[in-house]
Amino acid sequence: MALLSSRDRDAAAYPLQSLFVPFPFVCFTLALATDIAFWQSGNLMWQNFSAWLLFAGLVFGGFAILAGLMDLLRPRTRPLRPPVLSALLYLIILALALANSLVHAGDGWTAVVPYGLVLSAATFLFCLVAAAVSAHKYARLAWRI
């Protein structure tokens, strides 16, 4: 008698990291939006929102890295793992966000304009590239099935 049905085995092969990866992408995208809002309005509330969004994105990014390392130990997740290029882009995104968070730790206008805004835009562009690379891999996987 099998312990897991085929449906349960498919669920067991689902990578844990895919639960955490979307959160940093959303937080870093919203950080760009709040940086633009701060640049246009000068209201410090937007700078605080950006700082908290960067913090939340980095925390969930750390969780995603830990879950990804756990997924490496599970051989059944191999077909659904992201490509190496996506993982490298993800680490670059987290490094940019960490630098951006340090820039946002300053006070006032210079905490966002111009370097915080540029780092937020660069992080967002790397998020788009990483999403495109991952989507290309999963599209090829879907065609094989």
Side-chain angles (χ1 to χ4, degrees):
M1 181 168 125
L3 293 175
L4 295 173
S5 68
S6 63
R7 184 176 179 177
D8 291 337
R9 273 185 266 135
D10 291 341
Y14 195 75
L16 293 174
Q17 70 188 8
S18 57
L19 298 173
F20 298 105
V21 169
F23 288 100
F25 282 84
V26 171
C27 289
F28 299 151
T29 301
L30 290 174
L32 174 62
T34 55
D35 281 349
I36 292 171
F38 176 74
W39 174 47
Q40 294 299 313
S41 69
N43 189 344
L44 286 176
M45 170 190 69
W46 296 113
Q47 179 192 2
N48 292 333
F49 285 169
S50 294
W52 280 106
L53 285 165
L54 289 169
F55 176 73
L58 287 169
V59 167
F60 276 101
F63 288 153
I65 288 174
L66 291 175
L69 291 174
M70 288 175 30
D71 284 338
L72 286 176
L73 301 175
R74 297 173 51 206
R76 294 188 50 87
T77 61
R78 185 168 176 82
L80 295 176
R81 284 185 200 151
V84 174
L85 180 59
S86 289
L88 181 63
L89 286 170
Y90 192 72
L91 292 175
I92 291 170
I93 289 167
L94 290 178
L96 280 172
L98 180 62
N100 197 5
S101 184
L102 294 174
V103 168
H104 276 77
D107 287 334
W109 184 260
T110 57
V112 176
V113 179
Y115 300 115
L117 192 58
V118 169
L119 284 171
S120 289
T123 304
F124 175 71
L125 289 176
F126 273 100
C127 286
L128 289 178
V129 171
V133 168
S134 293
H136 177 69
K137 188 242 183 185
Y138 292 124
R140 286 187 324 170
L141 183 64
W143 280 104
R144 272 194 245 157
I145 295 175

